[in-house]
Amino acid sequence: MGLSRKDYEGKPVIGILNTWNELSHCHSHFRERANDVKRGVWQAGGFPVEIPVISLAEVFQKPTTMMYRNLLAMETEEILRSYPIDGCVLMGGCDKTPPGLVMGAISMGLPCIFVPAGPMLRGNWHGKTLGSGSDVWKYWDELRAGNISEKDWQDIEEGIARSVGTCMTMGTASTMTSIVETLGFCLPNAATIPAADSNHPRMASDSGRRIVEMTWEDLTPKKILSQKSFDNAIKVLMALGGSTNALIHLIAMANRAGFPLSLERFEELGKRTPYLVNMRPSGNFLMEDFHYAGGLAALLQEMVTLLDAEAMTCTGKTLGENVKKYQIFNPDVIRPLSNPMQKEGGLVVLRGNLAPDGAVIKTSAASPNLLKHRGKALVFDSYDDMSRCIEDPTLDVDKNTVLILRNAGPQGGPGMPEWGMLPIPKKLIQEGVRDMVRISDARMSGTSYGTCVLHVSPEAWIGGPLALVKTGDEIELDVESRVINLIIPDEEMRERREKWTPKSEKFVRGYGKLFTQHIKQAHEGCDFDFLEGTAHTVDPEIH
Ligand code: FES
């Protein structure tokens, strides 16, 4: 290795777990950034070793990166366990990498700090600002309606992602990095620094310096996390109008840390936390605007009275101490508590005979007139079934129809692909319809919008009530009452249940088999049953 004893003797070994790969465009600056981290580690008297771990590149992996979040968590835990590492830097950003890395690091329990990839710069097209994902869905509908040309579409594609970094709307990546910072794993305001900003490498080397100190201090996740830090994270999720995916990831991370979370807790805290950050897809602005308006730390300072400011963080100081000096520079982007976007959080948990274990809707990105709705179901049994029908001009559908996609849950997808923002049928798009009530056991991208009821649990594949719906049945959605129901007599429901037959196994071998045998449901966080909890893993005997 070309190292001399002077390089490492007496120094803590700092593992830099890097989720870079050439298909992970959100992390394409991470090789360079790992060197910035190393610079900091060397300066602080540590011995840095960069270790590649699986990268989960949202737009390229089939059927969904969610299938591999737990694999990244396992890899993180076992790498940290099996190599001689004293502390670690977790480098992630694209949707599933923050929870995957943090879950593994919590389970292993070594001191760790998280370096977020940072959001991309704003997109541009024809003088308009483009936001990742959200404007893809918006202009794709305009393309289908014949309102823009193929050439326009190509220009949008070339203008929407113009730098390294993660999606710059309040998608899952920005939501999760903000949550990871709130939990205490990042330096203050790290989550919102744009990837291409020179403050980003500065933050990376600061993180390298800090992890060496943390290692000497033995500041482990156990000393940082508490029930209060997870409550803080839920409140920040609500204030951000963040991604629905965060519910699943927060439940999984909390379970790993030994602080079980239920959907009720989200509901409870959501009712007392205003939605404050005016970001797409729910609002108007993008991550660059958020950062220059003061960033996440300014938001935390604004809502400090709603948080537990005593929660510990990786700086060795409390959350309250970390954010004291930050302020809001643009109150249009980060609204003060006195002028929220909405009085309650942007995510609501629903229940009813269609979702006995819960479902979620992002009200901040839904159409207010559809939040109380009754309509006839149009059911698709699979994504392929839906794709075949949705462009059909003779499809029997109108704007009041409730579109249902099933068998897209944790086992059925598998991995709950982000199919929950079902496309509006082409014939309705051409009539000018841009939103409808849609229900599924899938997830949706944090950049998506519309009146989409997601994560219906239990999922259809294992016999949840969604499996029993027939086209033409009446569906009731009432967000204010937190209700989602299938309007059929109980007797009819029982008969349909008796006739339902279980599906055959999707996989006969390999990771797919392990996944479908052990994956838990959406309301339980979709972790593997054998990875949950905090029990100590016994090191194998070495012979
Ligand atoms: Fe990586 Fe959106 S594709 S964050």
Side-chain angles (χ1 to χ4, degrees):
M1 294 164 83
L3 298 165
S4 76
R5 278 183 174 267
K6 279 192 205 137
D7 287 322
Y8 56 84
E9 216 162 44
K11 296 180 176 179
V13 180
I14 305 298
I16 302 170
L17 270 53
N18 191 348
T19 50
W20 172 90
N21 84 21
E22 279 193 338
L23 279 174
S24 185
H25 65 291
C26 301
H27 299 176
S28 45
H29 53 313
F30 261 179
R31 280 173 123 179
E32 219 179 288
R33 237 17 127 247
N35 287 332
D36 297 315
V37 173
K38 279 184 195 170
R39 187 171 77 241
V41 172
W42 282 122
Q43 284 170 359
F47 174 61
V49 284
E50 187 181 348
I51 300 178
V53 289
I54 182 175
S55 191
L56 306 178
E58 200 58 34
V59 296
F60 291 116
Q61 279 187 289
K62 289 189 293 189
T64 161
T65 50
M66 186 61 184
M67 186 136 172
Y68 301 102
R69 182 201 66 181
N70 297 347
L71 186 62
L72 172 60
M74 286 171 79
E75 187 187 15
T76 301
E77 181 179 350
E78 299 308 324
I79 290 252
L80 295 177
R81 175 170 294 118
S82 57
Y83 280 116
I85 291 172
D86 300 305
C88 67
V89 180
L90 308 169
M91 297 185 65
C94 194
D95 298 17
K96 310 305 177 296
T97 54
L101 288 163
V102 169
M103 285 159 70
I106 290 173
S107 292
M108 182 48 200
L110 288 180
C112 65
I113 197 165
F114 189 88
V115 171
M120 281 183 249
L121 301 178
R122 296 181 197 95
N124 277 295
W125 173 66
H126 286 187
K128 296 185 180 72
T129 302
L130 294 178
S132 317
S134 309
D135 280 310
V136 175
W137 324 125
K138 175 175 154 187
Y139 287 108
W140 184 55
D141 279 347
E142 298 310 319
L143 181 70
R144 293 168 73 224
N147 296 336
I148 62 168
S149 67
E150 277 293 341
K151 169 76 172 69
D152 290 330
W153 179 244
Q154 206 178 316
D155 290 347
I156 288 169
E157 187 178 311
E158 286 168 10
I160 202 166
R162 59 188 193 88
S163 80
V164 295
T166 49
C167 291
M168 73 326 232
T169 41
M170 188 46 74
T172 306
S174 298
T175 305
M176 288 313 301
T177 51
S178 298
I179 281 176
V180 168
E181 179 173 329
T182 306
L183 287 173
F185 289 113
C186 303
L187 294 181
N189 235 9
T192 48
I193 304 171
D197 190 307
S198 59
N199 285 298
H200 198 269
R202 273 195 279 276
M203 175 273 292
S205 57
D206 284 346
S207 303
R209 280 183 283 274
R210 178 62 197 141
I211 186 62
V212 178
E213 294 167 359
M214 285 174 72
T215 304
W216 287 119
E217 292 161 11
D218 196 29
L219 185 52
T220 59
K222 216 180 175 78
K223 294 178 185 161
I224 290 177
L225 295 172
S226 62
Q227 191 74 58
K228 302 278 170 139
S229 37
F230 284 100
D231 281 354
N232 285 346
I234 294 174
K235 290 176 194 166
V236 167
L237 167 66
M238 297 297 168
L240 292 170
S243 167
T244 45
N245 285 322
L247 275 81
I248 298 177
H249 300 319
L250 261 167
I251 291 172
M253 291 193 289
N255 276 335
R256 290 290 185 109
F259 302 107
L261 264 187
S262 67
L263 287 177
E264 279 68 31
R265 195 67 183 147
F266 289 83
E267 183 58 15
E268 209 178 304
L269 298 179
K271 280 189 181 151
R272 336 192 215 127
T273 312
Y275 159 41
L276 295 173
V277 184
N278 184 4
M279 293 261 308
R280 295 189 207 177
S282 304
N284 298 327
F285 295 98
L286 296 174
M287 286 301 284
E288 249 186 296
D289 307 303
F290 184 22
H291 189 66
Y292 301 130
L296 179 70
L299 172 71
L300 295 172
Q301 173 59 21
E302 175 61 24
M303 57 189 293
V304 78
T305 51
L306 305 179
L307 302 173
D308 187 327
E310 293 304 310
M312 183 41 66
T313 74
C314 66
T315 62
K317 297 187 182 131
T318 64
L319 188 72
E321 287 170 317
N322 282 351
V323 301
K324 212 184 299 176
K325 66 173 195 208
Y326 290 88
Q327 58 176 299
I328 297 172
F329 300 112
N330 185 341
D332 276 350
V333 181
I334 307 173
R335 296 282 189 90
L337 287 174
S338 55
N339 181 29
M341 298 279 289
Q342 269 180 207
K343 284 203 184 109
E344 293 188 359
L347 302 177
V348 166
V349 176
L350 304 169
R351 283 180 197 276
N353 70 358
L354 199 50
D357 289 333
V360 62
I361 183 168
K362 188 175 187 173
T363 51
S364 56
S367 302
N369 63 316
L370 289 174
L371 296 179
K372 189 174 171 71
H373 183 81
R374 273 190 182 225
K376 300 256 183 254
L378 172 57
V379 181
F380 301 108
D381 275 322
S382 69
Y383 186 82
D384 288 347
D385 178 25
M386 179 199 70
S387 308
R388 261 193 309 275
C389 299
I390 215 84
E391 302 290 314
D392 181 351
T394 65
L395 190 66
D396 185 13
V397 66
D398 64 40
K399 65 180 180 153
N400 294 317
T401 304
V402 175
L403 302 179
I404 293 186
L405 174 65
R406 64 187 173 203
N407 300 318
Q411 294 203 29
M416 298 180 79
E418 292 184 337
W419 296 334
M421 182 192 178
L422 279 74
I424 305 293
K426 188 167 181 178
K427 85 176 210 197
L428 297 180
I429 277 281
Q430 286 167 339
E431 288 169 16
V433 177
R434 290 294 182 270
D435 195 10
M436 296 170 72
V437 174
R438 291 160 268 181
I439 300 174
S440 72
D441 46 15
R443 296 173 299 119
M444 80 173 182
S445 163
T447 65
S448 295
Y449 51 86
T451 313
C452 303
V453 177
L454 310 158
H455 309 183
V456 169
S457 190
E459 64 177 311
W461 187 266
I462 61 166
L466 201 61
L468 311 178
V469 185
K470 290 184 178 169
T471 289
D473 285 345
E474 192 167 5
I475 305 288
E476 176 198 25
L477 169 67
D478 185 345
V479 172
E480 205 185 330
S481 308
R482 309 307 198 230
V483 158
I484 180 88
N485 276 325
L486 167 62
I487 310 293
I488 58 170
D490 291 349
E491 185 54 30
E492 168 76 12
M493 190 83 140
R494 256 193 306 277
E495 276 172 26
R496 289 189 195 181
R497 170 153 309 290
E498 273 159 25
K499 284 188 194 140
W500 181 81
T501 48
K503 305 273 185 190
S504 54
E505 275 202 59
K506 267 185 195 258
F507 297 93
V508 292
R509 62 168 296 281
Y511 179 71
K513 189 168 173 78
L514 175 92
F515 183 92
T516 47
Q517 282 182 343
H518 295 283
I519 190 73
K520 300 195 75 173
Q521 289 291 290
H523 69 284
E524 300 167 309
C526 293
D527 203 353
F528 290 151
D529 51 12
F530 61 90
L531 290 175
E532 282 185 320
T534 52
H536 177 64
T537 304
V538 181
D539 287 336
E541 270 181 48
I542 300 168
H543 295 284

